Amino acid sequence: MAPDALPQAWQQLLALAERPADGTAGDGASPPAGDGSAVLSLASAEGGAPRGGKLRHSAGPWTSAAGTAERLRDSMGSAKSTLETSHQGVAAEGAGLASVVELDGVRSTWEARLEDAREECDSLVGKLGAVARKHGENESATTATFQGARPDGGR
């Protein structure tokens, strides 16, 4: 599809995307102050503006989040195991004390909470990893789409 066949809004977006990050028109001349022109940028990009005039992002934050969820899952499992181990023998040693019964009830609820948190983290590991993979696939597809729409074929 020829660039001039694109809707006007897309033509404007493509033109803005081609502008240097410093806001100049590309010929060294700055736009008049207050003309409402802007350069496309990704708010989360380093410095708030794309580097080299190109929008950049990565699946890295999603992969990092998946790794964090995995470490949390493992930590919850370890905490639950430590809690179980530390309470072994308490019932026998504290036989007859009412506090032992209460302590056992509290321990049971904490074990359930830790298990629920562990299961949630386990679920997130797969979901966040899938988002990272899809993000990369989407990036490739989007790049290919825009390259085909540019007059120079994306060069």
Side-chain angles (χ1 to χ4, degrees), residues 20-106:
D22 64 4
T24 64
D27 59 2
S30 297
D35 73 348
S37 65
V39 175
L40 292 177
S41 66
L42 180 63
S44 63
E46 214 172 285
R51 288 173 270 152
K54 297 199 183 270
L55 180 64
R56 300 197 191 281
H57 59 92
S58 74
W62 296 101
T63 303
S64 175
T68 299
E70 188 171 27
R71 288 188 299 280
L72 281 170
R73 177 200 62 200
D74 296 345
S75 177
M76 295 297 161
S78 177
K80 182 180 173 200
S81 177
T82 300
L83 187 60
E84 290 169 348
T85 302
S86 67
H87 280 82
Q88 289 177 349
V90 170
E93 291 179 21
L97 297 175
S99 61
V100 172
V101 174
E102 293 300 320
L103 181 61
D104 189 52
V106 170

